[in-house]
Amino acid sequence: LAGLGVCSLFVYREVRVGIISPGDEIVDFQESPRPGQIRDMNSVHLAALVSDAGGKPTRYSLSPDDEETFRNSLTQALSENDGVLFSGGSSVGTRDLGVRVIETLGSPGVIFHGVAIKPGKPVIYAMVDEKPLFGLPGHPVSAAVSFNLFVRPVLSNVAGIFESQLPATRSITARLLRNVNSASGRTDFVRMLITKNKTDMKYEAKPVLGKSSALSTMVKADGYIIIAEKQQGLKEGEMVEVFLYE
């Protein structure tokens, strides 16, 4: 730019994202949890994902299952950031405060609550005074899947980076090593371990099965496959497209 005599240019600053972990059962990850408690790993995980997406994360204090306290936390985070994430509290249980509190913060409020995917079904997307607000599932794998599907594109858009400018997700074709069941009516994202067949040196994909509460299923996986909404599973031996984790 200096060589061309360009003295100034227009740039976008980093998107500021506030991250909140609600729930009486959540304790700081540096503490030893008592029975019925769990360390807060989601805010750390989501902060890393925000940074990877080019944003600037701020982790806020843990918020108990109290409507007024949670509302105050969201209000503060919205005032100090360009968007806010919280994980947990997005389901429809009596203690899940997400939708109730969001609807008191500003218009237009909740845009959608719940999507036909697994994992990640209870995700919330809202707009509060032109700022995006996401309620992600509390299970760590569900939160990560929801982030990549819904939050990352929004952060890129807010930052001035549009879909056509994003690098394509790398994928490979592999042979499925076992049957994978899927319920019709939802899109399934199934984690896969990739190996090479020693005979023909072609890629093979083995499902990494487990609940979305087990982050180890994502740690052990190299990528994931997508089973479309109208499919009822895939059969052993089928060739599948595996989208690789970076």
Side-chain angles (χ1 to χ4, degrees):
L1 292 171
L4 295 172
V6 177
C7 302
S8 64
L9 68 158
F10 186 84
V11 298
Y12 292 95
R13 63 168 170 77
E14 294 174 306
V15 180
R16 297 169 300 191
V17 181
I19 301 171
I20 299 171
S21 292
D24 291 336
E25 75 280 12
I26 308 297
V27 298
D28 189 274
F29 68 89
Q30 299 179 47
E31 296 182 21
S32 296
R34 298 192 301 271
Q37 294 183 324
I38 186 171
R39 292 186 181 93
D40 173 32
M41 58 178 160
N42 275 5
S43 70
V44 179
H45 188 189
L46 291 171
L49 291 173
V50 168
S51 296
D52 184 62
K56 185 176 182 180
T58 298
R59 294 173 54 240
Y60 285 80
S61 300
L62 301 177
S63 177
D65 284 321
D66 173 76
E67 195 163 328
E68 184 176 356
T69 304
F70 186 40
R71 183 185 296 108
N72 291 339
S73 297
L74 287 178
T75 300
Q76 179 186 356
L78 283 165
S79 69
E80 297 173 349
N81 296 277
D82 304 303
V84 173
L85 312 177
F86 66 88
S87 61
S90 65
S91 294
V92 292
T94 56
R95 298 179 65 196
D96 294 311
L97 305 175
V99 169
R100 284 208 309 274
V101 172
I102 291 170
E103 293 289 27
T104 69
L105 296 177
S107 60
V110 174
I111 306 299
F112 63 77
H113 180 202
V115 288
I117 63 172
K118 182 184 178 182
K121 178 181 177 181
V123 65
I124 300 170
Y125 172 53
M127 291 291 291
V128 178
D129 299 329
E130 300 185 355
K131 292 186 178 182
L133 171 59
F134 287 92
L136 305 182
H139 287 166
V141 177
S142 300
V145 170
S146 301
F147 181 94
N148 285 317
L149 284 175
F150 302 105
V151 183
R152 187 182 292 270
V154 171
L155 295 185
S156 298
N157 193 287
V158 172
I161 304 169
F162 299 98
E163 187 174 357
S164 61
Q165 299 169 298
L166 294 172
T169 302
R170 292 191 304 136
S171 66
I172 61 171
T173 301
R175 183 168 53 245
L176 196 58
L177 289 181
R178 58 162 290 176
N179 295 341
V180 182
N181 295 323
S182 177
S184 180
R186 73 179 184 215
T187 302
D188 276 8
F189 296 81
V190 184
R191 296 165 294 286
M192 292 284 158
L193 173 66
I194 303 301
T195 57
K196 265 190 175 181
N197 186 291
K198 294 182 180 180
T199 302
D200 57 14
M201 298 304 292
K202 291 184 177 180
Y203 289 115
E204 296 178 326
K206 180 181 179 181
V208 181
L209 303 177
K211 295 184 178 180
S212 59
S213 58
L215 188 60
S216 59
T217 61
M218 183 169 281
V219 173
K220 294 174 182 177
D222 298 302
Y224 62 92
I225 64 171
I226 302 174
I227 303 179
E229 184 177 354
K230 294 183 179 180
Q231 289 181 287
Q232 294 187 353
L234 299 170
K235 292 183 178 180
E236 178 182 346
E238 286 191 53
M239 302 304 294
V240 294
E241 184 177 11
V242 183
F243 299 91
L244 301 177
Y245 293 131
E246 295 298 332

